């Protein structure tokens, strides 16, 4: 495969128009690309900060076989690639002097690309995190449900939502979201559902994306530490999953830390099945014919 089979552009609108059908063809595996591209479609690139995004399509005989996006100061996000496709992409990006601090993709793709990037640039890849991607099979609600219910309305005071999402972000190593940063955060476009104790006290929350190509991703799921072990997370996850199915979702997915047996067991009891593992490789001292990239770290695969 030739490196120039990859067509590059900084035009988000052109990329979205050409890649849309391909991304929707495998909505579960393309979950990250779908949600990021939807945000670009609705908000444009004004929230991305300095620098230009880069998009790419691998086309043959009028058919798109793969795609990637790279937002400023973030990592490269390719769809699943063969080793040959990964090598051609690395060669193409190295040839044009493009750099990126990390790659995030399904584990096979991320590993193949990290090795190819090392061959073409000398950058040293370092595995950072592994995340498991689950797709819903058949929803099996908890039995019995814990005492309580979802509230009649998901509207809570903004400070409640900000506090809990901030605690969640901190617990997974992300920068906590503030009132000022909320509009441009990855949580701003999500829908949130709380689980209430019988006295009306909120005890757990779950967020979800809007349906895109039939796909909904559940994220985040959070219960304050003092309230864990009572089934609240299971209940609110089941409620958000049920709502997604009712809205017509055909693929409901979520990410989980494979090193956390509690959350993995919870999701599997609800009917979620492992689809693939996701990986992030950081690149240190990344070099190319035109420049270098710093070692920038992010806690989530964006």
């Amino acid at each position: 495969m030739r490196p120039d089979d990859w067509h590059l552009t900084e035009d988000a609108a052109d990329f979205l128009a050409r890649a849309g059908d391909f991304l929707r063809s495998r909505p579960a595996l393309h979950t990250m690309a779908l949600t990021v591209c939807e945000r670009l479609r609705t908000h444009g690139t004004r929230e991305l900060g300095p620098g230009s995004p880069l998009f790419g399509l691998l086309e043959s005989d009028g058919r798109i076989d793969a795609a990637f996006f790279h937002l400023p100061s973030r990592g490269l996000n390719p769809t699943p690639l063969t080793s040959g496709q990964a090598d051609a992409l690395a060669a193409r990006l190295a040839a044009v002097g493009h750099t990126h601090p990390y790659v995030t993709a399904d584990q096979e793709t991320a590993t193949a690309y990290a090795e190819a990037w090392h061959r073409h640039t000398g950058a040293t890849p370092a595995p950072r995190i592994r995340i498991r991607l689950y797709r819903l099979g058949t929803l099996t609600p908890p039995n019995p449900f814990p005492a309580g219910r979802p509230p009649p309305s998901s509207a809570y005071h903004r400070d409640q939502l900000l506090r809990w999402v901030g605690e969640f972000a901190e617990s997974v190593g992300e920068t906590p979201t503030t009132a000022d940063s909320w509009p441009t955060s990855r949580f701003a476009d999500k829908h949130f559902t709380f689980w209430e104790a019988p006295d009306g006290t909120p005890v757990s929350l779950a967020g979800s994306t809007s349906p895109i190509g039939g796909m909904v991703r559940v994220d985040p799921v959070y219960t304050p530490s003092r309230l864990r072990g009572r089934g609240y997370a299971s209940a609110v996850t089941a409620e958000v999953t049920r709502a997604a199915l009712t809205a017509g979702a055909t693929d409901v997915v979520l990410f989980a830390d494979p090193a956390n047996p509690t959350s993995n067991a919870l999701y599997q009891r609800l009917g979620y099945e492992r689809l693939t593992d996701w990986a992030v490789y950081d690149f240190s001292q990344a070099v190319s014919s035109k420049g270098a990239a710093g070692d920038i770290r992010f806690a989530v695969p964006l």
Side-chain angles (χ1 to χ4, degrees):
M1 177 175 296
R2 300 172 306 177
D4 58 5
D5 288 339
W6 280 94
H7 303 285
L8 309 182
T9 180
E10 294 182 356
D11 187 335
D14 176 62
F15 173 77
L16 297 176
R18 297 172 65 188
D21 288 345
F22 167 72
L23 295 178
R24 288 188 290 270
S25 69
R26 304 175 74 185
L29 282 174
H30 296 165
T31 176
M32 295 303 300
L34 283 169
T35 53
V36 169
C37 288
E38 177 64 13
R39 188 169 180 102
L40 289 173
R41 187 188 68 80
T42 56
H43 295 272
T45 60
R46 63 184 181 275
E47 299 175 351
L48 300 180
S52 299
L54 184 68
F55 307 93
L57 295 171
L58 180 63
E59 296 182 278
S60 60
D61 300 324
R63 181 188 69 248
I64 296 175
D65 294 323
F68 78 84
F69 65 90
H70 176 220
L71 306 184
S73 298
R74 298 187 181 181
L76 187 79
N77 289 252
T79 59
L81 305 175
T82 66
S83 58
Q85 291 169 342
D87 186 79
L89 176 57
R92 181 83 162 96
L93 295 180
V96 299
H98 186 76
T99 58
H100 34 279
Y102 62 90
V103 62
T104 173
D106 65 280
Q107 187 164 3
E108 289 187 7
T109 296
T111 300
Y113 183 85
E115 293 171 349
W117 190 243
H118 174 68
R119 287 194 300 273
H120 290 285
T121 69
T124 302
R128 189 205 318 170
I129 55 174
R130 186 164 61 91
I131 308 172
R132 185 150 295 161
L133 178 61
Y134 285 94
R135 179 184 181 274
L136 182 70
T138 300
L139 177 61
T140 306
N143 185 19
F145 266 91
R149 60 169 189 169
S153 170
S154 62
Y156 268 79
H157 291 298
R158 185 175 176 82
D159 58 354
Q160 171 80 65
L161 182 59
L162 282 170
R163 183 168 63 254
W164 278 14
V165 170
E167 290 174 4
F168 165 81
E170 187 173 11
S171 72
V172 298
E174 298 179 33
T175 302
T177 302
T178 65
D180 290 339
S181 64
W182 180 270
T184 58
S185 75
R186 70 184 186 90
F187 304 105
D189 294 330
K190 292 179 179 172
H191 312 282
F192 289 90
T193 297
F194 288 80
W195 189 265
E196 288 184 344
D199 65 359
T201 302
V203 292
S204 189
L205 74 77
S208 63
T209 64
S210 296
I212 309 167
M215 183 278 303
V216 169
R217 188 171 70 252
V218 177
D219 171 55
V221 177
Y222 179 72
T223 304
S225 58
R226 68 184 184 281
L227 298 172
R228 293 172 188 167
R230 308 180 192 185
Y232 299 142
S234 181
V236 75
T237 303
E239 177 61 22
V240 169
T241 302
R242 181 201 60 76
L245 295 173
T246 300
T250 55
D251 292 80
V252 187
V253 301
L254 54 79
F255 285 103
D257 179 357
N260 186 331
T262 300
S263 61
N264 283 265
L266 181 159
Y267 299 136
Q268 291 176 52
R269 286 195 300 270
L270 291 176
Y272 283 89
E273 302 169 351
R274 177 187 174 277
L275 182 60
T276 188
D277 280 0
W278 210 266
V280 179
Y281 284 86
D282 291 311
F283 298 123
S284 61
Q285 299 179 349
V287 297
S288 73
S289 59
K290 296 186 179 180
D295 185 17
I296 303 173
R297 295 175 179 270
F298 293 82
V300 294
L302 288 177

